Amino acid sequence: MKSGWRGTIDAVGTRKLPPDPDVLGAIGLSHKLTSAIADLVDNAVDAEATHISVRFVEVDRRLVSLLVSDDGKGMSDKAIDDAMTVGKRRTYRDQALGHFGMGLKAASFSQADVLTVMSRTSSRRAVGRRWVRSHAKNFDCDVLDPVQVRTELEAAPFRGKSGTIVRWDRIRTFPHSDDRRVTDDFLSKTFQELRTHLGLVLHRVLKLSSISITLDVLDADTGETGAPQVVEALDPFAYRRSGELGYPKTFDCNVGDRSVAIRCHIWPPRSEALAFRLDGKPESRQGFYFYRNDRLLEAGHWKGAAVPSRRLQLARVEVDISDDLDLFSMSMEKNTVHPKPEFVRAASRAKARDGTTFIEYLESAERVYRKGNQPNRARKEVVPPGPGLAPSVKSAIMSELPIHEGRAPMEIRWKSLSEPKFFEIDRAQNTLWINTAYRQALLAGRRGGLNDLPVMKALLYLLTEDVFAGAAYGPRDKDNVEVWQSILTAAADVEALG
Ligand SMILES: Nc1ncnc2c1ncn2[C@@H]1O[C@H](COP(=O)(O)OP(=O)(O)OP(=O)(O)O)[C@@H](O)[C@H]1O
Ligand SMILES: [Mg+2]
């Protein structure tokens, strides 16, 4: 057979090819400091901790280490070996946040060169291990002196019978400046980001349990810690009143013989609530919110089920993927969810139990946004934009400006005009005619159509709409039209002649 393709090729033997230890430098690359710390906090939640402390350590006024301590059930000698093993999966209980057996290592090496883990269970002696990224040849992991480890555990912020400290040193993402102000700015920004990120991704866990998460700074020279900050639950669906009656609504997405329920919300317009603003960009927080075992993985992305736009910013959709991991895959960093195309298609075709379609939901969210942003009385009513303008341009105009409903829509169309002029105002037919003589030149090789040249037409609409709005066509209007005509015709001639 000379086709260059064979089905299966026979193996003639096997060879063990262990990964190069440098692989440790390549995992977790899409982590930020906040998402990496969240991965350690997830582990503490899985270990049934009630107190979790995130502590930044300063020596000589420089930030040098980070400790995440918890009073969870801790690890035995065997468990800590497994914990330090890249990709070692344990048996997970149903509600566990862990999944890949990677988080601890990937999160740590994305930020730091040295990872130390110290732990003890309620019945066994303290154990400690250390990975140094650059010395991880042959995957040799340091076993730490149990006596010193016990002393460290006893100095942890929460003293209990069991618990764990994860420590990072040589952190690449910390500032290396000696300048106090640089460190202070970094800390205040990082604390704010951590409160938002941890409060958001764990908002259900924090609400449903008695777990407390605190953030503080230890000055290792004096042994003093600053006042701790507490992470509060930040629920992205915590509006006081829905933006629209009848919402939130549950929609069924039918994928094969299965149905995934999604809960569609409409925020009230112009909310100043932190739960809406989140990290300050509510517009980028529209779309699906994917949860797994009450942990929020990704906060706001349409995944192709709708096109993100400013006007859709009130639409947020809760999706629980815990039981449907075959339809959704999550990134190792647990900050992105990839739904299968079947789900996205099913979502855009989904219906609520009262018959509302997903498209109608999106339209309602847009309408609520538009209405909420309309009562700007300083803006004058305009004639409705009509055929000739692309639908998204029309809806942008309608969401920004109050529409004079009594007026016929203004059309923008092409026509061969007898005189060498760029346009003609036809008030009787509510049409702005553009001279076809210039069409090819303006299209510059692109295909023409009813809604072609949207930028130019939007500008023409904004310029001339007022002439169509007035009852009379007075001398002032006529003069304006003359000015536009002569300037635009000159410009169009330049386009046509190259
Ligand atoms: N704070 C902790 N307390 C007790 N055990 C822990 C702690 N942190 C990690 N472990 C143990 O170490 C193991 C490895 O953690 P790691 O985060 O690398 O993977 P995982 O949590 O199993 O899965 P994922 O990659 O999805 O996070 C965990 O399964 C858990 O048994
Ligand atoms: Mg984990």
Side-chain angles (χ1 to χ4, degrees):
M1 189 169 69
K2 277 192 97 187
S3 71
W5 182 87
R6 295 164 65 103
T8 311
I9 299 171
D10 299 333
V12 293
T14 58
R15 280 190 191 167
K16 279 257 182 298
L17 299 174
D20 188 285
D22 282 350
V23 74
L24 292 180
I27 54 178
L29 285 183
S30 90
H31 265 306
K32 289 192 186 146
L33 179 62
T34 44
S35 64
I37 292 175
D39 233 314
L40 304 188
V41 173
D42 282 355
N43 285 342
V45 172
D46 272 354
E48 294 162 27
T50 54
H51 295 291
I52 302 166
S53 146
V54 179
R55 175 163 283 176
F56 292 75
V57 184
E58 271 179 12
V59 174
D60 234 359
R61 293 168 34 215
R62 288 235 317 263
L63 282 174
V64 294
S65 321
L66 181 109
L67 305 173
V68 176
S69 322
D70 70 71
D71 62 353
K73 61 186 185 196
M75 283 175 270
S76 64
D77 201 51
K78 160 85 173 72
I80 200 171
D81 280 342
D82 288 350
M84 297 303 268
T85 308
V86 176
K88 180 96 182 178
R89 303 185 75 229
R90 62 185 158 88
T91 321
Y92 297 98
R93 65 192 162 83
D94 279 355
Q95 285 300 304
L97 305 182
H99 181 72
F100 296 106
M102 294 291 287
L104 172 66
K105 287 72 67 177
S108 304
F109 291 132
S110 75
Q111 308 297 311
D113 286 345
V114 184
L115 161 65
T116 309
V117 182
M118 298 169 273
S119 191
R120 82 167 168 213
T121 67
S122 54
S123 57
R124 311 260 175 88
R125 65 179 191 147
V127 288
R129 300 286 184 275
R130 179 172 55 220
W131 274 123
V132 180
R133 202 160 76 122
S134 52
H135 299 155
K137 295 287 171 224
N138 309 319
F139 286 99
D140 283 335
C141 181
D142 293 336
V143 176
L144 304 184
D145 171 14
V147 178
Q148 290 179 49
V149 169
R150 197 179 65 209
T151 313
E152 290 293 317
L153 283 164
E154 274 162 10
F158 308 113
R159 256 162 279 158
K161 284 207 184 102
S162 60
T164 300
I165 301 177
V166 175
R167 172 173 163 173
W168 293 347
D169 292 283
R170 301 222 299 267
I171 300 174
R172 299 186 300 279
T173 46
F174 276 2
H176 297 292
S177 164
D178 285 330
D179 187 338
R180 181 78 255 163
R181 284 167 307 180
V182 173
T183 311
D184 285 350
D185 282 356
F186 172 83
L187 279 172
S188 83
K189 183 165 162 279
T190 303
F191 274 31
Q192 160 119 30
E193 287 173 358
L194 271 175
R195 283 208 318 273
T196 306
H197 186 76
L198 295 175
L200 181 62
V201 298
L202 289 169
H203 75 92
R204 286 189 182 171
V205 173
L206 288 167
K207 260 279 153 50
L208 296 169
S209 68
S210 54
I211 295 177
S212 79
I213 305 176
T214 54
L215 318 172
D216 64 16
V217 184
L218 167 71
D219 181 339
D221 298 320
T222 62
E224 281 173 16
T225 50
Q229 297 193 18
V230 178
V231 175
E232 311 266 5
L234 183 54
D235 177 355
F237 298 94
Y239 41 80
R240 237 175 291 163
R241 256 199 16 219
S242 172
E244 177 82 328
L245 217 68
Y247 285 90
K249 242 188 236 307
T250 302
F251 287 65
D252 294 315
C253 307
N254 297 316
V255 187
D257 52 4
R258 225 158 4 126
S259 174
V260 180
I262 61 173
R263 201 156 164 73
C264 298
H265 299 250
I266 301 180
W267 263 84
R270 296 201 289 192
S271 175
E272 287 296 321
L274 184 60
F276 180 63
R277 288 187 286 112
L278 301 176
D279 45 11
K281 291 171 257 124
E283 208 176 311
S284 64
R285 295 301 201 164
Q286 58 186 280
F288 295 120
Y289 282 62
F290 295 104
Y291 290 84
R292 174 175 166 265
N293 293 342
D294 290 329
R295 191 322 191 156
L296 178 58
L297 299 168
E298 192 171 1
H301 199 296
W302 285 115
K303 305 289 168 191
V307 180
S309 86
R310 191 147 63 92
R311 299 181 303 279
L312 272 179
Q313 62 180 275
L314 305 178
R316 291 183 180 176
V317 182
E318 260 175 299
V319 190
D320 190 333
I321 68 165
S322 314
D323 298 329
D324 299 292
L325 280 180
D326 53 331
L327 278 181
F328 302 89
S329 51
M330 56 179 170
S331 64
M332 201 177 65
E333 292 84 0
K334 309 230 180 71
N335 53 13
T336 314
V337 170
H338 303 287
K340 288 224 167 110
E342 295 90 296
F343 167 78
V344 179
R345 274 196 296 272
S348 39
R349 275 190 261 115
K351 271 201 173 150
R353 285 148 209 178
D354 64 3
T356 311
T357 63
F358 188 71
I359 305 290
E360 285 166 340
Y361 158 61
L362 296 176
E363 286 169 355
S364 297
E366 278 203 33
R367 196 177 50 249
V368 174
Y369 173 78
R370 224 170 31 229
K371 264 172 55 192
N373 288 276
Q374 232 168 31
N376 188 340
R377 283 185 195 83
R379 290 183 183 172
K380 193 180 129 300
E381 282 189 333
V382 293
V383 292
L389 283 164
S392 57
V393 178
K394 278 193 247 182
S395 52
I397 292 171
M398 290 192 290
S399 71
E400 287 301 336
L401 297 164
I403 300 297
H404 194 315
E405 296 294 356
R407 291 272 163 192
M410 169 184 159
E411 302 189 21
I412 304 183
R413 294 186 179 279
W414 296 96
K415 183 165 115 177
S416 187
L417 303 177
S418 47
E419 291 171 55
K421 59 182 178 181
F422 184 61
F423 70 93
E424 189 174 289
I425 302 269
D426 183 344
R427 282 168 40 98
Q429 289 191 57
N430 298 303
T431 303
L432 175 87
W433 298 105
I434 316 171
N435 196 344
T436 315
Y438 297 109
R439 194 172 189 180
Q440 288 313 322
L442 290 167
L443 281 168
R446 285 165 301 172
R447 267 189 36 212
L450 177 67
N451 300 333
D452 53 13
L453 296 167
V455 174
M456 182 190 79
K457 286 181 180 170
L459 289 169
L460 285 173
Y461 171 88
L462 294 172
L463 185 70
T464 63
E465 167 281 325
D466 199 37
V467 177
F468 290 87
Y473 188 46
R476 175 102 188 260
D477 285 334
K478 283 189 190 137
D479 187 50
N480 275 339
V481 169
E482 259 179 55
V483 171
W484 301 333
Q485 187 70 270
S486 94
I487 296 172
L488 289 172
T489 307
D493 282 336
V494 176
E495 293 268 7
L497 300 170

